[in-house]
Amino acid sequence: MKRVVRTMISLMLAFAPGLAGAQGADPGDDKTVIFAPGDPDMSAATARALARLDEFLALAEAPPSGTDRFKLKVQVRDGNVTEHFWVIPFRRTEAGFVGILANQPEHVHNVVLGQNIEFTRDDISDWGYTRNGRQVGSFTVCVMFKKMSKEEVDYMRGKYGFDC
């Protein structure tokens, strides 16, 4: 089974302020980065995110001044294929969470960009938000930088405030 982890070159939906849900996205901006199941760097990034998930969720429920763009990365399975997507915005429900899929699927066919999806805590692989224009969290994106060109990484760091 392939584990497909998604990022967007411009990360328009996940990081650009002012965009509502998934409307106006240009699927041509998407970039897929594939990691083998059990990739040690990706596993460590996910473990780091999950270790602080409760702290993030509490912050998202009562965002302090200077914070916005709270998002969760969730895995969606379609048969033997798993693809990870940012969900923006999201909210808790009695059964888990619900939110809008913010990336164009490439490998799974049971969801579409802009779809309202339900998921549980077990589906979460990362989280992130913006504080004073800088990214907090988004641990898996930092791992993806290792497989991206220097130009792509420099662009992301400059435009979206990544410090990793």
Side-chain angles (χ1 to χ4, degrees):
M1 171 189 339
K2 290 184 180 176
R3 179 177 181 198
V4 178
V5 182
R6 309 216 5 115
T7 185
M8 297 170 61
I9 296 292
S10 70
L11 292 176
M12 285 174 55
L13 297 169
F15 302 108
L19 292 176
Q23 272 76 50
D26 179 359
D29 286 342
D30 285 355
K31 177 181 176 96
T32 300
V33 180
I34 299 174
F35 288 86
D39 177 88
D41 291 338
M42 190 57 70
S43 295
T46 298
R48 191 169 165 204
L50 295 178
R52 295 180 52 201
L53 181 59
D54 289 329
E55 173 187 337
F56 166 78
L57 292 171
L59 198 67
E61 287 182 10
S65 178
T67 62
D68 63 0
R69 302 296 294 165
F70 287 83
K71 57 195 164 284
L72 288 170
K73 185 179 272 188
V74 302
Q75 60 184 344
V76 174
R77 290 177 199 84
D78 186 4
N80 290 331
V81 179
T82 301
E83 195 167 352
H84 292 249
F85 301 91
W86 288 109
V87 175
I88 311 164
F90 69 91
R91 65 178 172 79
R92 286 188 196 221
T93 65
E94 286 184 24
F97 301 87
V98 65
I100 298 174
L101 194 75
N103 304 108
Q104 180 69 41
E106 285 187 23
H107 301 280
V108 299
H109 304 289
N110 56 347
V111 294
V112 297
L113 173 70
Q115 178 179 338
N116 224 11
I117 65 168
E118 295 180 10
F119 55 97
T120 68
R121 183 182 184 98
D122 291 341
D123 297 317
I124 298 171
S125 58
D126 201 357
W127 54 263
Y129 66 98
T130 303
R131 180 177 55 215
N132 300 321
R134 308 301 298 174
Q135 291 299 311
V136 178
S138 302
F139 303 102
T140 59
V141 175
C142 294
V143 173
M144 289 180 216
F145 283 173
K146 296 176 183 180
K147 292 191 174 193
M148 296 168 69
S149 73
K150 180 183 180 333
E151 293 78 19
E152 291 169 331
V153 173
D154 289 347
Y155 174 80
M156 299 273 290
R157 285 187 171 146
K159 184 158 182 154
Y160 300 110
F162 282 95
D163 293 323
C164 53

mmCIF file of all heavy atoms in Angstrom, residues 81-102:
data_model
loop_
_atom_site.group_PDB
_atom_site.id
_atom_site.type_symbol
_atom_site.label_atom_id
_atom_site.label_comp_id
_atom_site.label_asym_id
_atom_site.label_seq_id
_atom_site.Cartn_x
_atom_site.Cartn_y
_atom_site.Cartn_z
ATOM 1 N N VAL A 81 -5.366 2.333 -0.916
ATOM 2 C CA VAL A 81 -4.645 3.596 -1.096
ATOM 3 C C VAL A 81 -5.043 4.559 0.025
ATOM 4 O O VAL A 81 -6.211 4.684 0.369
ATOM 5 C CB VAL A 81 -4.965 4.223 -2.470
ATOM 6 C CG1 VAL A 81 -4.247 5.547 -2.646
ATOM 7 C CG2 VAL A 81 -4.590 3.262 -3.593
ATOM 8 N N THR A 82 -4.045 5.236 0.568
ATOM 9 C CA THR A 82 -4.266 6.260 1.583
ATOM 10 C C THR A 82 -3.647 7.551 1.089
ATOM 11 O O THR A 82 -2.504 7.563 0.635
ATOM 12 C CB THR A 82 -3.620 5.857 2.927
ATOM 13 O OG1 THR A 82 -4.191 4.629 3.357
ATOM 14 C CG2 THR A 82 -3.834 6.922 3.979
ATOM 15 N N GLU A 83 -4.412 8.626 1.193
ATOM 16 C CA GLU A 83 -3.927 9.945 0.796
ATOM 17 C C GLU A 83 -4.236 10.906 1.941
ATOM 18 O O GLU A 83 -5.274 10.782 2.594
ATOM 19 C CB GLU A 83 -4.627 10.384 -0.491
ATOM 20 C CG GLU A 83 -3.988 11.539 -1.186
ATOM 21 C CD GLU A 83 -4.519 11.743 -2.605
ATOM 22 O OE1 GLU A 83 -5.292 10.900 -3.116
ATOM 23 O OE2 GLU A 83 -4.148 12.755 -3.204
ATOM 24 N N HIS A 84 -3.331 11.844 2.184
ATOM 25 C CA HIS A 84 -3.498 12.787 3.286
ATOM 26 C C HIS A 84 -3.875 14.161 2.737
ATOM 27 O O HIS A 84 -3.311 14.608 1.735
ATOM 28 C CB HIS A 84 -2.206 12.887 4.092
ATOM 29 C CG HIS A 84 -1.898 11.615 4.824
ATOM 30 N ND1 HIS A 84 -1.970 11.528 6.192
ATOM 31 C CD2 HIS A 84 -1.551 10.387 4.385
ATOM 32 C CE1 HIS A 84 -1.662 10.297 6.564
ATOM 33 N NE2 HIS A 84 -1.403 9.586 5.477
ATOM 34 N N PHE A 85 -4.815 14.814 3.429
ATOM 35 C CA PHE A 85 -5.348 16.098 2.982
ATOM 36 C C PHE A 85 -5.451 17.068 4.153
ATOM 37 O O PHE A 85 -5.737 16.663 5.278
ATOM 38 C CB PHE A 85 -6.781 15.925 2.429
ATOM 39 C CG PHE A 85 -6.875 14.983 1.283
ATOM 40 C CD1 PHE A 85 -7.127 13.637 1.505
ATOM 41 C CD2 PHE A 85 -6.720 15.423 -0.019
ATOM 42 C CE1 PHE A 85 -7.223 12.751 0.451
ATOM 43 C CE2 PHE A 85 -6.809 14.537 -1.080
ATOM 44 C CZ PHE A 85 -7.060 13.202 -0.849
ATOM 45 N N TRP A 86 -5.309 18.350 3.847
ATOM 46 C CA TRP A 86 -5.623 19.376 4.828
ATOM 47 C C TRP A 86 -7.126 19.572 4.841
ATOM 48 O O TRP A 86 -7.780 19.533 3.796
ATOM 49 C CB TRP A 86 -4.929 20.694 4.486
ATOM 50 C CG TRP A 86 -3.448 20.637 4.737
ATOM 51 C CD1 TRP A 86 -2.466 20.605 3.791
ATOM 52 C CD2 TRP A 86 -2.787 20.604 6.005
ATOM 53 N NE1 TRP A 86 -1.232 20.544 4.404
ATOM 54 C CE2 TRP A 86 -1.404 20.545 5.755
ATOM 55 C CE3 TRP A 86 -3.239 20.615 7.327
ATOM 56 C CZ2 TRP A 86 -0.468 20.499 6.791
ATOM 57 C CZ3 TRP A 86 -2.295 20.571 8.346
ATOM 58 C CH2 TRP A 86 -0.923 20.517 8.069
ATOM 59 N N VAL A 87 -7.665 19.769 6.029
ATOM 60 C CA VAL A 87 -9.088 20.035 6.224
ATOM 61 C C VAL A 87 -9.193 21.413 6.881
ATOM 62 O O VAL A 87 -8.673 21.629 7.985
ATOM 63 C CB VAL A 87 -9.741 18.952 7.109
ATOM 64 C CG1 VAL A 87 -11.189 19.298 7.411
ATOM 65 C CG2 VAL A 87 -9.639 17.589 6.428
ATOM 66 N N ILE A 88 -9.844 22.339 6.133
ATOM 67 C CA ILE A 88 -9.935 23.732 6.566
ATOM 68 C C ILE A 88 -11.280 24.291 6.137
ATOM 69 O O ILE A 88 -11.571 24.274 4.935
ATOM 70 C CB ILE A 88 -8.850 24.604 5.905
ATOM 71 C CG1 ILE A 88 -7.477 23.977 6.015
ATOM 72 C CG2 ILE A 88 -8.866 26.009 6.471
ATOM 73 C CD1 ILE A 88 -6.476 24.576 5.072
ATOM 74 N N PRO A 89 -12.089 24.806 6.997
ATOM 75 C CA PRO A 89 -12.010 24.733 8.448
ATOM 76 C C PRO A 89 -12.491 23.372 8.931
ATOM 77 O O PRO A 89 -12.982 22.565 8.149
ATOM 78 C CB PRO A 89 -12.977 25.837 8.896
ATOM 79 C CG PRO A 89 -14.011 25.884 7.811
ATOM 80 C CD PRO A 89 -13.272 25.546 6.540
ATOM 81 N N PHE A 90 -12.384 23.160 10.222
ATOM 82 C CA PHE A 90 -12.869 21.924 10.829
ATOM 83 C C PHE A 90 -13.557 22.287 12.139
ATOM 84 O O PHE A 90 -13.362 23.373 12.689
ATOM 85 C CB PHE A 90 -11.723 20.934 11.084
ATOM 86 C CG PHE A 90 -10.788 21.393 12.171
ATOM 87 C CD1 PHE A 90 -11.009 21.031 13.497
ATOM 88 C CD2 PHE A 90 -9.704 22.206 11.883
ATOM 89 C CE1 PHE A 90 -10.160 21.460 14.510
ATOM 90 C CE2 PHE A 90 -8.854 22.647 12.885
ATOM 91 C CZ PHE A 90 -9.086 22.273 14.197
ATOM 92 N N ARG A 91 -14.367 21.360 12.618
ATOM 93 C CA ARG A 91 -14.979 21.525 13.937
ATOM 94 C C ARG A 91 -15.211 20.143 14.543
ATOM 95 O O ARG A 91 -15.300 19.154 13.830
ATOM 96 C CB ARG A 91 -16.270 22.330 13.875
ATOM 97 C CG ARG A 91 -17.381 21.683 13.122
ATOM 98 C CD ARG A 91 -18.668 22.525 13.144
ATOM 99 N NE ARG A 91 -19.659 21.970 12.250
ATOM 100 C CZ ARG A 91 -20.435 20.924 12.532
ATOM 101 N NH1 ARG A 91 -20.350 20.326 13.686
ATOM 102 N NH2 ARG A 91 -21.302 20.477 11.646
ATOM 103 N N ARG A 92 -15.290 20.121 15.871
ATOM 104 C CA ARG A 92 -15.584 18.874 16.581
ATOM 105 C C ARG A 92 -17.055 18.547 16.460
ATOM 106 O O ARG A 92 -17.897 19.437 16.380
ATOM 107 C CB ARG A 92 -15.230 18.993 18.055
ATOM 108 C CG ARG A 92 -13.757 18.973 18.327
ATOM 109 C CD ARG A 92 -13.540 18.892 19.821
ATOM 110 N NE ARG A 92 -12.172 19.251 20.154
ATOM 111 C CZ ARG A 92 -11.455 18.612 21.053
ATOM 112 N NH1 ARG A 92 -11.963 17.592 21.707
ATOM 113 N NH2 ARG A 92 -10.229 18.986 21.323
ATOM 114 N N THR A 93 -17.350 17.256 16.472
ATOM 115 C CA THR A 93 -18.722 16.760 16.514
ATOM 116 C C THR A 93 -18.794 15.710 17.614
ATOM 117 O O THR A 93 -17.767 15.358 18.206
ATOM 118 C CB THR A 93 -19.131 16.114 15.171
ATOM 119 O OG1 THR A 93 -18.336 14.942 14.963
ATOM 120 C CG2 THR A 93 -18.958 17.081 14.004
ATOM 121 N N GLU A 94 -19.974 15.170 17.852
ATOM 122 C CA GLU A 94 -20.100 14.109 18.854
ATOM 123 C C GLU A 94 -19.309 12.872 18.461
ATOM 124 O O GLU A 94 -18.753 12.172 19.305
ATOM 125 C CB GLU A 94 -21.570 13.742 19.049
ATOM 126 C CG GLU A 94 -22.348 14.775 19.818
ATOM 127 C CD GLU A 94 -23.780 14.343 20.085
ATOM 128 O OE1 GLU A 94 -24.051 13.116 20.091
ATOM 129 O OE2 GLU A 94 -24.611 15.233 20.287
ATOM 130 N N ALA A 95 -19.218 12.602 17.149
ATOM 131 C CA ALA A 95 -18.534 11.398 16.666
ATOM 132 C C ALA A 95 -17.063 11.627 16.349
ATOM 133 O O ALA A 95 -16.331 10.674 16.100
ATOM 134 C CB ALA A 95 -19.245 10.871 15.421
ATOM 135 N N GLY A 96 -16.603 12.870 16.332
ATOM 136 C CA GLY A 96 -15.216 13.161 15.975
ATOM 137 C C GLY A 96 -15.073 14.576 15.458
ATOM 138 O O GLY A 96 -15.130 15.538 16.217
ATOM 139 N N PHE A 97 -14.923 14.685 14.126
ATOM 140 C CA PHE A 97 -14.704 15.980 13.503
ATOM 141 C C PHE A 97 -15.386 16.015 12.146
ATOM 142 O O PHE A 97 -15.651 14.977 11.540
ATOM 143 C CB PHE A 97 -13.199 16.227 13.276
ATOM 144 C CG PHE A 97 -12.387 16.197 14.530
ATOM 145 C CD1 PHE A 97 -11.881 15.004 15.014
ATOM 146 C CD2 PHE A 97 -12.115 17.361 15.233
ATOM 147 C CE1 PHE A 97 -11.119 14.961 16.169
ATOM 148 C CE2 PHE A 97 -11.363 17.330 16.393
ATOM 149 C CZ PHE A 97 -10.863 16.125 16.863
ATOM 150 N N VAL A 98 -15.583 17.229 11.641
ATOM 151 C CA VAL A 98 -16.075 17.442 10.291
ATOM 152 C C VAL A 98 -15.376 18.684 9.749
ATOM 153 O O VAL A 98 -15.028 19.595 10.510
ATOM 154 C CB VAL A 98 -17.622 17.589 10.250
ATOM 155 C CG1 VAL A 98 -18.074 18.845 10.983
ATOM 156 C CG2 VAL A 98 -18.143 17.564 8.838
ATOM 157 N N GLY A 99 -15.112 18.691 8.452
ATOM 158 C CA GLY A 99 -14.471 19.850 7.846
ATOM 159 C C GLY A 99 -14.442 19.728 6.340
ATOM 160 O O GLY A 99 -14.904 18.737 5.766
ATOM 161 N N ILE A 100 -13.880 20.749 5.705
ATOM 162 C CA ILE A 100 -13.849 20.832 4.243
ATOM 163 C C ILE A 100 -12.491 20.386 3.716
ATOM 164 O O ILE A 100 -11.449 20.910 4.134
ATOM 165 C CB ILE A 100 -14.165 22.264 3.776
ATOM 166 C CG1 ILE A 100 -15.576 22.643 4.225
ATOM 167 C CG2 ILE A 100 -14.027 22.379 2.258
ATOM 168 C CD1 ILE A 100 -15.950 24.085 3.949
ATOM 169 N N LEU A 101 -12.512 19.434 2.804
ATOM 170 C CA LEU A 101 -11.300 18.920 2.167
ATOM 171 C C LEU A 101 -10.685 20.031 1.319
ATOM 172 O O LEU A 101 -11.332 20.555 0.411
ATOM 173 C CB LEU A 101 -11.653 17.716 1.296
ATOM 174 C CG LEU A 101 -10.494 16.866 0.826
ATOM 175 C CD1 LEU A 101 -9.977 16.020 1.973
ATOM 176 C CD2 LEU A 101 -10.951 15.971 -0.307
ATOM 177 N N ALA A 102 -9.437 20.400 1.607
ATOM 178 C CA ALA A 102 -8.811 21.561 0.993
ATOM 179 C C ALA A 102 -7.780 21.230 -0.084
ATOM 180 O O ALA A 102 -7.074 22.125 -0.537
ATOM 181 C CB ALA A 102 -8.164 22.428 2.075
#
